[in-house]
Amino acid sequence: MADRLLGSIEAGGTKWNCAVGSGPDDLVAETRIPTTTPDETLAAVRAFFAEHEGLEALGVATFGPAELRRGHPAYGSITTTPKPHWSDTPLVGPLSDSLGVPVGFDTDVNGAALGEGRWGAAVGLDTFAYVTVGTGFGGGAVAGGRVAHGLVHPEMGHVSVRRHPDDDFPGRCPFHGDCLEGMACGPAMIDRWGRSPSELVGDERVRALDIEAHYLAEGFRNLVYVLAPQRIIMGGGVSKMDGLVPAVRAKLVDALGGYPGLPEHAQDDFVVPPTLGDRAGIAGGFVLAEQALS
């Protein structure tokens, strides 16, 4: 694809990262556009890509929920998002019509998974998960080389988790209370401790690390049993908490309880941070653009 000019969008709730090139290591141009209203944001996005003649395809990795079923009338749209003004906003149709190119479309976490699979921590693997722990909890799954989605994309943050024995926090998910997202997302940590993870020190920090690792390991146990991934990639702001990744690895081994007894689950390369870091989403947009061409 090195001789083709592609566009990539990582559409987030606060900003849209847009890039033109043949891939994340070969960029012609890049910009960030604030997420305001759909009309204003999409107009700025179209104007950016219209500046680049020869654009052959565009990939969009978006915040959601999103309609991914190609035969559905709302395919290519953001659906029932809590982001004000963005519910039921079509993306694929308006962008394809205005730019005159095919548009690949998926969620931001699925895009990040594709990016890590092509250029990052999952190179050479065909079944893996990418999760992001931040303001919420999102996850994308690749199974047999294909991104997994059916009636809807996977919602890994809403699986049930066993409660930590020393934690009485009720959870902050508006739908389920104490699901994985409700117990382990960044705002849950702030609510539980009264400050952000970066501000915790001493015994309080040790306790916070133990509780957070517990819930993430509980969630990852579900992934191990349902998806059978070769690797779990953990990104997002909370994941950068010093010591969290190795703590999750250790807790996951305990949570599995010796079943299925695979040595791979205890290795340092089973739960890993993203190689691409914050660039995984924009990298995934280029993979989606390639898929749109084929």
Side-chain angles (χ1 to χ4, degrees):
M1 305 298 292
D3 59 339
R4 287 180 166 172
L5 193 64
L6 306 174
S8 172
I9 297 174
E10 181 186 21
T14 58
K15 64 182 182 299
W16 286 41
N17 295 322
C18 303
V20 174
S22 62
D25 297 322
D26 179 33
L27 297 184
V28 174
E30 187 174 12
T31 192
R32 291 183 178 181
I33 295 168
T35 306
T36 55
T37 65
D39 288 345
E40 186 175 45
T41 304
L42 288 171
V45 168
R46 287 192 294 264
F48 169 74
F49 286 107
E51 295 174 358
H52 302 280
E53 294 184 4
L55 191 72
E56 296 189 41
L58 178 66
V60 180
T62 182
F63 69 95
E67 180 55 72
L68 304 178
R69 294 172 290 179
R70 288 188 173 273
H72 195 279
Y75 168 74
S77 299
I78 295 172
T79 58
T80 55
T81 178
K83 180 70 176 176
H85 313 299
W86 282 86
S87 289
D88 303 316
T89 297
L91 300 182
V92 170
L95 289 170
S96 181
D97 291 345
S98 62
L99 298 172
V101 298
V103 176
F105 183 71
D106 217 311
T107 64
D108 47 4
V109 284
N110 282 343
L114 290 171
E116 289 288 340
R118 174 68 64 84
W119 292 286
V123 170
L125 306 181
D126 66 6
T127 301
F128 58 92
Y130 175 94
V131 302
T132 179
V133 193
T135 304
F137 186 106
V142 173
R146 297 176 63 89
V147 173
H149 39 68
L151 284 177
V152 70
H153 40 83
E155 290 285 3
M156 299 177 189
H158 295 282
V159 298
S160 297
V161 290
R162 291 183 296 186
R163 182 171 285 277
H164 189 285
D166 298 326
D167 185 30
D168 59 3
F169 179 65
R172 61 167 291 136
C173 173
F175 302 101
H176 312 111
D178 59 355
C179 63
L180 176 57
E181 177 173 292
M183 301 304 282
C185 69
M189 294 191 74
I190 293 172
D191 286 353
R192 182 186 284 113
W193 301 104
R195 58 186 63 85
S196 68
S198 62
E199 297 175 297
L200 298 173
V201 296
D203 290 343
E204 194 172 52
R205 185 188 182 283
V206 172
R207 289 182 58 214
L209 185 67
D210 181 70
I211 290 173
E212 183 70 9
H214 166 87
Y215 288 120
L216 293 175
E218 283 290 305
F220 293 174
R221 181 181 67 160
N222 290 329
L223 287 180
V224 167
Y225 290 144
V226 173
L227 180 64
Q230 297 157 299
R231 184 163 297 154
I232 298 173
I233 304 163
M234 184 172 72
V238 172
S239 73
K240 298 174 184 177
M241 186 179 182
D242 188 38
L244 182 59
V245 172
V248 171
R249 291 182 188 131
K251 292 276 190 182
L252 176 58
V253 172
D254 291 341
L256 292 173
Y259 186 85
L262 298 181
E264 288 87 348
H265 292 145
Q267 294 176 355
D268 289 348
D269 64 352
F270 186 69
V271 178
V272 300
T275 299
L276 300 178
D278 295 336
R279 305 290 290 168
I282 206 74
F286 283 112
V287 178
L288 292 171
E290 291 180 11
Q291 292 178 351
L293 280 174
S294 61

